[in-house]
Amino acid sequence: MKKYVYPDNGKFIYKTKSGSYHILKKKRVDGKIITKFYGAFKDYNDAIRHRDKCVEGNWDMSLVYSNPMKFIQKRGKRYHIQRRGKFYGAYSNVIDAMNERDLLVKYDWDIEKICECHDDSISGISIFKRRV
């Protein structure tokens, strides 16, 4: 497997002989190099998006989804966030719903923590801010 270098910075992305792209992070532990696998993709652009999400989440896989719609359901013209039967909000566009879902995951679904840190909301108008 060789590192795939593109002008848009292919760091952590490796191309296999079969043509797929693997996201691998190598680090040295006790003098040994440990390689951790973070996903495989057929499309290079999908690999870039996933790698960027991994970097943004400090390589915490609980913040990265292979299913970008996880916990989000489309109902009519709105996107609802639900987990284990609990409703967390409805949004008019999928990007806002994904951003709020990511915020929920980041704070382990604890609305109190999110209320304390509501400036962390990407959309700036978090449903949790309105509940306080």
Side-chain angles (χ1 to χ4, degrees):
M1 198 174 323
K2 67 176 185 173
K3 185 160 183 160
Y4 214 68
V5 180
Y6 272 88
D8 62 351
N9 186 6
K11 190 171 183 181
F12 305 115
I13 299 174
Y14 296 82
K15 186 174 183 180
T16 64
K17 290 179 182 177
S18 66
S20 65
Y21 302 92
H22 288 194
I23 299 173
L24 304 171
K25 185 176 180 205
K26 298 177 182 183
K27 67 179 180 178
R28 188 173 296 273
V29 177
D30 296 328
K32 295 181 182 180
I33 295 177
I34 306 294
T35 302
K36 189 163 180 184
F37 176 78
Y38 286 91
F41 301 88
K42 291 181 181 177
D43 182 62
Y44 180 73
N45 291 322
D46 290 340
I48 289 173
R49 281 190 288 277
H50 187 77
R51 183 267 327 265
D52 291 347
K53 195 76 167 167
C54 288
V55 170
E56 181 183 307
N58 199 23
W59 299 94
D60 181 355
M61 288 305 289
S62 68
L63 301 175
V64 180
Y65 299 101
S66 58
N67 174 7
M69 294 298 287
K70 189 169 184 175
F71 305 119
I72 299 172
Q73 296 89 37
K74 185 171 184 185
R75 300 223 173 115
K77 294 181 180 182
R78 312 235 347 132
Y79 296 88
H80 291 225
I81 301 172
Q82 278 190 283
R83 179 177 175 247
R84 296 182 182 161
K86 187 172 179 181
F87 175 74
Y88 288 91
Y91 300 86
S92 58
N93 73 57
V94 70
I95 300 300
D96 286 344
M98 287 176 166
N99 289 335
E100 293 298 324
R101 182 269 325 269
D102 292 346
L103 191 62
L104 282 159
V105 170
K106 179 178 179 178
Y107 289 100
D108 198 29
W109 299 88
D110 186 341
I111 294 173
E112 295 301 318
K113 283 184 189 174
I114 294 171
C115 290
E116 292 170 10
C117 305
H118 68 271
D119 290 340
D120 211 5
S121 173
I122 295 168
S123 65
I125 305 171
S126 170
I127 186 170
F128 311 109
K129 186 176 179 181
R130 290 190 295 263
R131 287 185 182 177
V132 178

